Amino acid sequence: MEIIVEIGTEEQKKQIKQELEIIQTVSNQISIPTSIAFIIVPDDFDKKVNELQNTSNYKSIRKTQHAHAKTISTSNGIILVFSKLLFTAKHDNFTRLQFYMHEFMHVVNKGRLPILKEEPTSKYPYLSNLYILFDEYSANRKSLEIIDSVFPQTSIRYRLSNITHLKWFIKPLINDSEHYDIIRIEIEKFRTHGKIEQFLENTKPHFDEVSKAIIYSYSFIDHSSKFQRFQPFLAKSKFINNKTINLINFYRSQFDKGESDLSEGINLMTEFIENFGIRLEDCHQGLYCHVIDI
């Protein structure tokens, strides 16, 4: 595993590399099937991620979320990329460690969770999303567990950071104009233009942000009772209903059991995605997408 730091003075680079070696230490204790080839702290996070992914549209700053780390699979192994913003005054060793462990758990999950074979049926997108969201849920819960188990006393900054992040995730969920109203407008537009590709393209960013905001919110709440006081606020969201709670309960159960086979939850994901106006159906012409009211 090679650590590449593109920011700071030579002394600062040395200190950052020493801190990042904790990932190697943890990796030596846990058997993972895919090696971590590089850990990179680039000067330009988005540029480096796009370069490694061979993309041009990746943006770490989204409407309601800001990514500070990224796990990228390559033919030579896994590459972990961390934003230079983690090494500013807003963060300390504990907040950074949570990001390190979160990304490391994504690497662990790559070995635990099955690799799905892409197929032109409704089963694939439902299962794919089921595993993608569980990966985020379990990575966040496990990273929080690791820090609490290793460090009985954490910093005030770390504790406040977790509360701040939880608030960030909940806020857009209870503000209808952020996502819910926009999806409803796109449903109405679809009734006029009938272009399913346009509808999916316009609503996908909202599904991505809302679904992950829900998953992260509950991963914090499920981790510790100190976060449960935020649950009544989360319950105010129009995206939180029985379909959502059923999926979260399934994730809770699978996480607690250490289970990696999620196939029994496909119906739960089918219902959850209906919260975004989408229902997929297999028919003789192929995969058909129904746009439904929310």
Side-chain angles (χ1 to χ4, degrees):
M1 183 180 75
E2 183 177 355
I3 300 174
I4 301 172
V5 179
E6 299 178 354
I7 62 170
T9 64
E10 290 305 312
E11 180 59 28
Q12 288 170 330
K13 288 179 180 179
K14 181 180 178 180
Q15 292 174 352
I16 293 171
K17 285 183 179 180
Q18 289 176 339
E19 185 175 289
L20 286 165
E21 286 175 356
I22 186 64
I23 298 176
Q24 180 68 70
T25 301
V26 176
S27 180
N28 291 339
Q29 303 300 317
I30 301 176
S31 177
I32 53 177
T34 304
S35 63
I36 300 173
F38 295 96
I39 298 176
I40 305 175
V41 182
D43 183 58
D44 188 325
F45 182 75
D46 289 9
K47 181 179 179 181
K48 179 60 68 174
V49 170
N50 276 309
E51 175 188 318
L52 294 171
Q53 292 185 153
N54 194 29
T55 57
S56 59
N57 59 354
Y58 175 83
K59 292 182 180 180
S60 58
I61 301 177
R62 301 145 197 170
K63 188 172 182 180
T64 58
Q65 299 172 16
H66 191 171
H68 285 72
K70 183 73 173 175
T71 300
I72 302 172
S73 298
T74 72
S75 58
N76 296 320
I78 301 294
I79 298 177
L80 304 184
V81 187
F82 294 101
S83 170
K84 64 182 180 182
L85 296 178
L86 289 174
F87 304 92
T88 61
K90 291 184 178 180
H91 291 276
D92 65 9
N93 292 33
F94 289 103
T95 64
R96 287 193 292 272
L97 182 59
Q98 202 268 325
F99 279 97
Y100 300 160
M101 291 301 96
H102 181 104
E103 294 308 309
F104 179 76
M105 291 313 304
H106 280 313
V107 179
V108 173
N109 284 342
K110 285 182 181 295
R112 290 180 59 246
L113 302 179
I115 298 175
L116 302 179
K117 182 180 179 181
E118 189 168 353
E119 55 184 75
T121 66
S122 61
K123 181 179 179 180
Y124 177 77
Y126 284 136
L127 269 182
S128 178
N129 281 293
L130 189 66
Y131 280 102
I132 287 171
L133 294 181
F134 182 72
D135 182 24
E136 296 295 344
Y137 177 86
S138 63
N140 204 53
R141 275 197 67 180
K142 197 65 180 178
S143 63
L144 293 168
E145 283 186 0
I146 290 172
I147 293 177
D148 281 0
S149 63
V150 175
F151 303 100
Q153 185 64 39
T154 55
S155 67
I156 293 176
R157 181 171 294 174
Y158 172 75
R159 297 193 293 273
L160 291 177
S161 175
N162 284 335
I163 292 173
T164 298
H165 280 106
L166 179 53
K167 288 180 178 179
W168 282 350
F169 291 126
I170 292 176
K171 184 178 178 181
L173 296 177
I174 60 179
N175 183 354
D176 292 348
S177 63
E178 291 273 5
H179 297 288
Y180 185 82
D181 289 347
I182 295 175
I183 294 175
R184 291 196 64 181
I185 289 171
E186 290 299 330
I187 292 172
E188 291 304 315
K189 288 181 179 178
F190 174 79
R191 303 298 180 212
T192 301
H193 60 67
K195 299 176 182 177
I196 190 62
E197 293 83 4
Q198 180 177 324
F199 172 79
L200 294 175
E201 181 180 352
N202 291 344
T203 57
K204 185 180 186 303
H206 299 283
F207 170 75
D208 289 343
E209 292 203 26
V210 169
S211 61
K212 288 180 180 177
I214 291 171
I215 290 302
Y216 278 115
S217 295
Y218 278 106
S219 68
F220 278 105
I221 290 170
D222 294 346
H223 167 66
S224 173
S225 59
K226 63 188 175 184
F227 297 122
Q228 290 178 3
R229 70 181 189 272
F230 293 98
Q231 194 156 350
F233 297 99
L234 187 60
K236 295 178 181 180
S237 171
K238 289 187 172 69
F239 290 106
I240 306 301
N241 50 33
N242 287 338
K243 297 175 182 179
T244 304
I245 298 302
N246 289 340
L247 178 65
I248 294 299
N249 284 336
F250 176 70
Y251 280 165
R252 287 169 176 156
S253 174
Q254 300 303 92
F255 179 85
D256 290 341
K257 292 186 295 186
E259 182 61 64
S260 58
D261 182 359
L262 308 180
S263 56
E264 291 183 359
I266 190 168
N267 290 336
L268 301 177
M269 179 55 66
T270 301
E271 294 178 350
F272 174 71
I273 289 182
E274 289 179 354
N275 289 330
F276 303 88
I278 298 171
R279 184 190 299 132
L280 302 177
E281 179 187 1
D282 297 311
C283 57
H284 65 275
Q285 296 98 337
L287 183 60
Y288 185 79
C289 179
H290 296 274
V291 176
I292 62 177
D293 291 326
I294 60 174

